[in-house]
Amino acid sequence: MLCQFANTFPKFVELFMGSGRSLRRRFREETITDIMMANLITMDAASRMVVEFPVEPVTGADMEWNFVNPDDKTFFRIHLQAKQAYGDGAIWTRHNYRELFHTVGSSAKLQAELLTESARKSSVPTYPLYIFYNPSRTCELARAGGAPHVIGVTLAEGYFVAILAKAATNRRLRALNRSLGMLAPSFFSLSDLFCPPSILPLGPFAFAPKRTWMPLYISRNKGRETVGMPIPPRPQEIRERLVELRAHFDLSSGSHFAGEFPEVPKVGDVIPDDVQAILDRRDHGDFQPLADNLCRWRVTFISASPSEERPFPLSIQ
């Protein structure tokens, strides 16, 4: 289901943001992020995702995605900062992310630096990404200009954005480094993270009467085909996909990039206390999505280890 969402939501964002032109309304990042979270809440048929929102909507479009496998206690976290594209001209490479070099607090520190520093210094494996929202006109111009990967929702390396932000020391570089032409080669998609779907093989009891219907997939397990249900990617799968995506976009090439990009951290083998508390509340059925101590949207994606002995997840009986 996450894979389907990853393939369909970007097109919705293109059209939704594009409609703002006729409505004479500029939809902000917060609006798109709220819609994204609402989609994740409504598609959670198997209770494999827990979505929480902060009390005060003053944190912009920050998101935290936690990937956890309770079976083997593995864990991986992604911090995301959202920005939207601006631009009306016919030259798509000049469309830009106007707020990309936003500064925070009295110290006027770059938001991109805070994002990457917090990930690098975190006590749990954490990786920074940017999520970009692009309206239909920007996407159509880019695709017509030979950039088919520019779609309604794209992702990019947080460390790369931080480099561009710190290097923008004059007006020319500020215009260049926040432009779509500069950033587009680094883009990847939600489907690169969430597709193909991870499959949890199901035993014969999954097809017993009075079970809740769910979409089932056929996958290959230990050399033979098995039937299973889609689940969020396991922490190790997310890390492997990020490593592969980085290999396609060589962040270390060029002397001005050398040494600036930490490796994708190894998957943790201990579930952090705050995430374990989410799992405990979920298991006891007393989970409340409104979290007093949150400063960003938080989504916990719950996977599982494949096992042919597993009859069916209790949460969807």
Side-chain angles (χ1 to χ4, degrees):
M1 289 184 292
L2 268 176
C3 181
Q4 182 181 11
F5 166 78
N7 282 317
T8 58
F9 187 68
K11 185 61 178 178
F12 165 81
V13 171
E14 284 188 34
L15 299 176
F16 180 74
M17 294 184 69
S19 69
R21 294 173 62 89
S22 59
L23 297 174
R24 298 182 180 180
R25 179 180 179 88
R26 172 72 69 172
F27 296 111
R28 292 183 54 80
E29 297 95 327
E30 293 89 343
T31 302
I32 308 302
T33 300
D34 286 350
I35 294 173
M36 177 185 289
M37 296 300 105
N39 272 267
L40 292 178
I41 291 172
T42 57
M43 67 181 282
D44 184 19
S47 298
R48 286 285 172 182
M49 288 175 286
V50 177
V51 181
E52 301 167 274
F53 54 92
V55 175
E56 294 292 339
V58 297
T59 58
D62 283 342
M63 286 180 282
E64 177 181 300
W65 293 353
N66 294 315
F67 297 86
V68 58
N69 182 351
D71 290 346
D72 61 11
K73 308 299 182 185
T74 54
F75 177 81
F76 194 85
R77 173 174 289 165
I78 296 177
H79 280 170
L80 301 102
Q81 178 64 44
K83 298 296 177 187
Q84 66 168 307
Y86 293 83
D88 295 315
I91 303 176
W92 68 271
T93 55
R94 294 182 181 176
H95 291 208
N96 67 87
Y97 301 95
R98 193 170 64 193
E99 305 297 330
L100 194 64
F101 304 150
H102 178 67
T103 57
V104 179
S106 57
S107 65
K109 192 162 190 174
L110 287 165
Q111 189 179 58
E113 287 187 278
L114 291 176
L115 179 74
T116 53
E117 286 179 6
S118 65
R120 190 166 52 243
K121 296 177 181 178
S122 177
S123 60
V124 301
T126 305
Y127 203 71
L129 295 178
Y130 268 76
I131 183 166
F132 293 125
Y133 304 141
N134 308 302
S136 55
R137 176 170 171 79
T138 296
C139 296
E140 290 163 1
L141 288 171
R143 290 195 288 262
H149 56 293
V150 178
I151 57 178
V153 181
T154 55
L155 300 167
E157 284 278 346
Y159 291 116
F160 178 60
V161 174
I163 285 292
L164 294 178
K166 287 186 286 187
T169 56
N170 57 51
R171 177 179 293 184
R172 183 186 68 82
L173 287 174
R174 286 181 65 84
L176 176 65
N177 287 5
R178 68 185 179 189
S179 70
L180 183 57
M182 172 64 75
L183 287 157
S186 69
F187 286 173
F188 58 97
S189 67
L190 289 173
S191 60
D192 287 324
L193 282 187
F194 293 125
C195 302
S198 299
I199 303 300
L200 182 64
L202 301 177
F205 288 103
F207 307 98
K210 298 184 179 180
R211 297 285 182 172
T212 301
W213 180 88
M214 285 200 64
L216 297 179
Y217 289 75
I218 297 177
S219 66
R220 186 166 294 276
N221 183 34
K222 297 181 180 179
R224 60 180 178 175
E225 290 184 341
T226 59
V227 176
M229 60 176 285
I231 61 172
R234 301 173 185 92
Q236 186 61 36
E237 291 175 316
I238 287 294
R239 181 188 183 275
E240 289 171 355
R241 291 172 188 183
L242 286 172
V243 170
E244 182 178 355
L245 289 163
R246 278 188 59 160
H248 288 297
F249 177 62
D250 186 2
L251 297 173
S252 62
S253 63
S255 59
H256 57 300
F257 288 163
E260 294 286 352
F261 299 93
E263 293 183 359
V264 180
K266 301 294 185 182
V267 168
D269 57 6
V270 176
I271 299 175
D273 291 342
D274 60 331
V275 177
Q276 185 61 56
I278 295 170
L279 300 179
D280 293 341
R281 293 196 302 272
R282 167 184 170 271
D283 290 342
H284 287 89
D286 60 356
F287 183 79
Q288 296 295 323
L290 187 64
D292 294 337
N293 60 341
L294 275 185
C295 62
R296 58 176 68 89
W297 279 101
R298 179 166 66 184
V299 186
T300 301
F301 299 93
I302 306 166
S303 58
S305 297
S307 170
E308 293 187 13
E309 302 299 322
R310 188 184 302 272
F312 211 65
L314 295 178
S315 60
I316 60 173
Q317 288 186 5

